[in-house]
């Protein structure tokens, strides 16, 4: 038997109804904040991710699905391509490629699959979905302002509340600007020197290539050592400190609660200044329901103009898991099961279905070879609210037997009144 590949999964009804309704709420909220949708390709050139997310990150070093193109054109041959592990890099690439700075401040959102070769477990998959948003534009359009950081965080609080997610908490940090990070990395390198031989091999490598990434280490024995390392908060310069302070003040004024966590450095290299995660208790080990932060300098590092930006991505699979904790999913039921009775009745049933569906009635169709009993069984299995019988006599009379499956009442209804009757209004 061929099964879905490890770490991927089928999303089945009725769960898909929950995904759709969550996405509809998300789109409404994005609309209220004037975000517009962007759809970037599922695969991009590998270089895009190594230059933005960073060579030393777990994502780029271990988790990407990369292959060499066997393209027909000479220029395509041998090009290294990667299934996107995240969407910020693609959005910034599109920003540069389409000169989106000409629009001023861009507020873009996306909903779609991402791919990382991680060890699968509850809430962690190899194909997973993200709902994300980015604000990016020239500094002159206000993209650098702490007001944007606070707007993003307040949007997230509103979104989670609107979705009915209870018990989330926001962890907030500032990872400073490039200059602060250079000084911090130097300090980390020094602090790590005497202790690193006692740490895992990944940390030994990170200590040399990118010491900040030591904070991504999950090895329990390394944690007491990591606890003793200097913190980024001690290295912020005055403008970064003020920016962070301003973000916190707006959050307090709009009533969004947060906790400061100066160990939070995030697992991607492009972050500057504000970095954050929202966690949710019901998710177990994979408790980060979303993460994000500011990435001033990312556009320049990809060959674009100066374009400070900030954004986030919600793990949609985890969001749905959290929603399932609080609500039971019910499969929406069809309004009517149309039961053609006897030869030639499929045609009539199809016409009726077309008429009813055009009036937004959810209709299921049977088959003229079914006996009436079999049609009723099929209708019950689907939990249809009504059964509509379409036999030769009904067609001739222009009125059809309609049985309400909940009350058991059966009446004859003229064709013109069917939709209203099924909808429950006379
Ligand atoms: P990230 O923290 O790598 O950030 O991912 C964001 C969220 O995606 C995580 O908090 C988690 O909920 C979900 N996620 C990540 N990996 C998996 C997985 N294997 N299975 C299920 N869910 C997962 C980013 O991707 C950044 N691009 C966010 C961002 C946007 N920063 C600025 N703009």
């Amino acid at each position: 038997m061929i099964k879905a590949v490890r770490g991927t999964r089928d999303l089945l009804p009725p769960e898909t109804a929950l995904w759709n309704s969550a996405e509809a709420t998300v789109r409404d909220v994005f609309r209220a904040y004037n975000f517009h949708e962007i759809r970037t390709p599922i695969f991009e050139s590998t270089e895009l991710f190594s230059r933005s997310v960073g060579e030393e990150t777990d994502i780029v070093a271990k988790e990407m699905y990369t292959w060499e193109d066997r393209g027909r054109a000479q220029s395509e041959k041998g090009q290294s391509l990667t299934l996107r592990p995240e969407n910020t890099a693609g959005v910034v690439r599109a920003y540069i490629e389409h000169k989106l700075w000409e629009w001023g401040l861009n507020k873009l959102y996306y909903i779609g699959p991402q791919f990382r070769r991680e060890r699968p477990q509850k809430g962690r998959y190899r194909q997973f979905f993200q709902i994300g948003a980015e604000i990016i534009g020239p500094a002159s359009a206000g993209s650098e302002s702490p007001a944007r950081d606070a707007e993003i965080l307040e949007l997230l609080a509103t979104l989670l509340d609107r979705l009915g997610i209870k018990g989330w908490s926001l962890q907030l940090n500032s990872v400073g600007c490039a200059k602060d990070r250079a000084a911090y990395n130097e300090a980390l390198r020094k602090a790590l020197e005497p202790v690193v031989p006692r740490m895992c091999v990944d940390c030994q490598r990170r200590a040399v290539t990118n010491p900040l990434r030591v904070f991504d280490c999950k090895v329990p024995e390394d944690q007491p050592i990591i606890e003793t390392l200097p913190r980024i908060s001690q290295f912020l310069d005055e403008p970064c400190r003020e920016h962070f302070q301003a973000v916190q003040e707006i959050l307090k004024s709009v009533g969004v609660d947060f906790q400061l966590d100066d160990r939070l450095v995030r697992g991607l290299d492009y972050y500057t200044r504000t970095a954050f995660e929202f966690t949710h208790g019901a998710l177990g080990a994979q408790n980060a329901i979303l993460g994000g932060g500011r990435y001033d300098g990312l556009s320049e590092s990809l060959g674009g103009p100066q374009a400070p930006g900030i954004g986030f991505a919600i793990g949609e699979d985890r969001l749905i898991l959290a929603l399932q904790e609080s609500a039971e999913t019910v499969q929406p039921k069809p309004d009517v099961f149309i039961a053609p009775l006897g030869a030639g009745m499929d045609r009539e049933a199809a016409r009726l279905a077309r008429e009813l569906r055009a009036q937004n009635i959810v209709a299921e169709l049977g088959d003229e070879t079914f006996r009436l009993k079999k049609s009723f069984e099929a209708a019950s299995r689907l939990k249809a609210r009504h059964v509509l019988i379409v036999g030769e006599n009904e067609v001739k009379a222009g009125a059809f037997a309609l049985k309400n499956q909940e009350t058991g009442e059966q009446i004859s209804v003229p064709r013109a009144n069917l939709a209203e009757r099924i909808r429950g209004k006379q």
Side-chain angles (χ1 to χ4, degrees), residues 283-294:
L283 291 174
Q286 303 305 316
N287 68 350
I289 197 163
L290 70 92
R294 183 165 274 290

Side-chain angles (χ1 to χ4, degrees), residues 266-341:
R266 308 271 299 126
L268 303 89
D269 275 352
Y270 50 61
Y271 289 113
T272 55
R273 295 191 164 173
T274 311
F276 57 85
E277 278 179 5
F278 282 62
T279 52
H280 191 270
L283 291 174
Q286 303 305 316
N287 68 350
I289 197 163
L290 70 92
R294 183 165 274 290
Y295 44 84
D296 305 345
L298 177 56
S299 168
E300 291 99 307
S301 76
L302 293 174
Q306 194 199 36
I310 178 161
F312 66 84
I314 302 174
E316 192 174 4
D317 307 74
R318 297 184 191 177
L319 179 77
I320 300 294
L321 275 173
L323 278 177
Q324 282 168 330
E325 295 291 325
S326 48
E328 195 193 331
T329 13
V330 277
Q331 169 120 20
K333 299 174 189 165
D335 297 316
V336 63
F337 183 92
I338 303 175
L341 201 60

Side-chain angles (χ1 to χ4, degrees), residues 57-129:
T57 58
D58 284 351
I59 296 175
V60 172
K62 303 181 197 165
E63 297 168 0
M64 294 204 305
Y65 287 92
T66 296
W67 70 99
E68 206 175 275
D69 196 10
R70 287 182 302 190
R72 286 156 191 262
Q74 202 51 43
S75 61
E76 292 167 355
K77 280 212 174 71
Q79 191 189 1
S80 180
L81 302 175
T82 291
L83 287 181
R84 61 184 190 196
E86 61 99 55
N87 219 155
T88 308
V91 170
V92 176
R93 184 213 27 82
Y95 174 84
I96 299 167
E97 190 168 332
H98 304 288
K99 298 190 171 51
L100 297 188
W101 54 87
E102 288 169 0
W103 304 6
L105 196 66
N106 294 271
K107 296 170 95 175
L108 302 167
Y109 80 87
Y110 47 84
I111 301 177
Q114 319 291 334
F115 306 85
R116 297 183 193 176
R117 192 185 285 105
E118 292 194 82
R119 200 166 44 77
Q121 63 182 86
K122 184 184 169 200
R124 189 163 72 192
Y125 312 98
R126 291 179 166 179
Q127 173 175 324
F128 59 98
F129 287 77

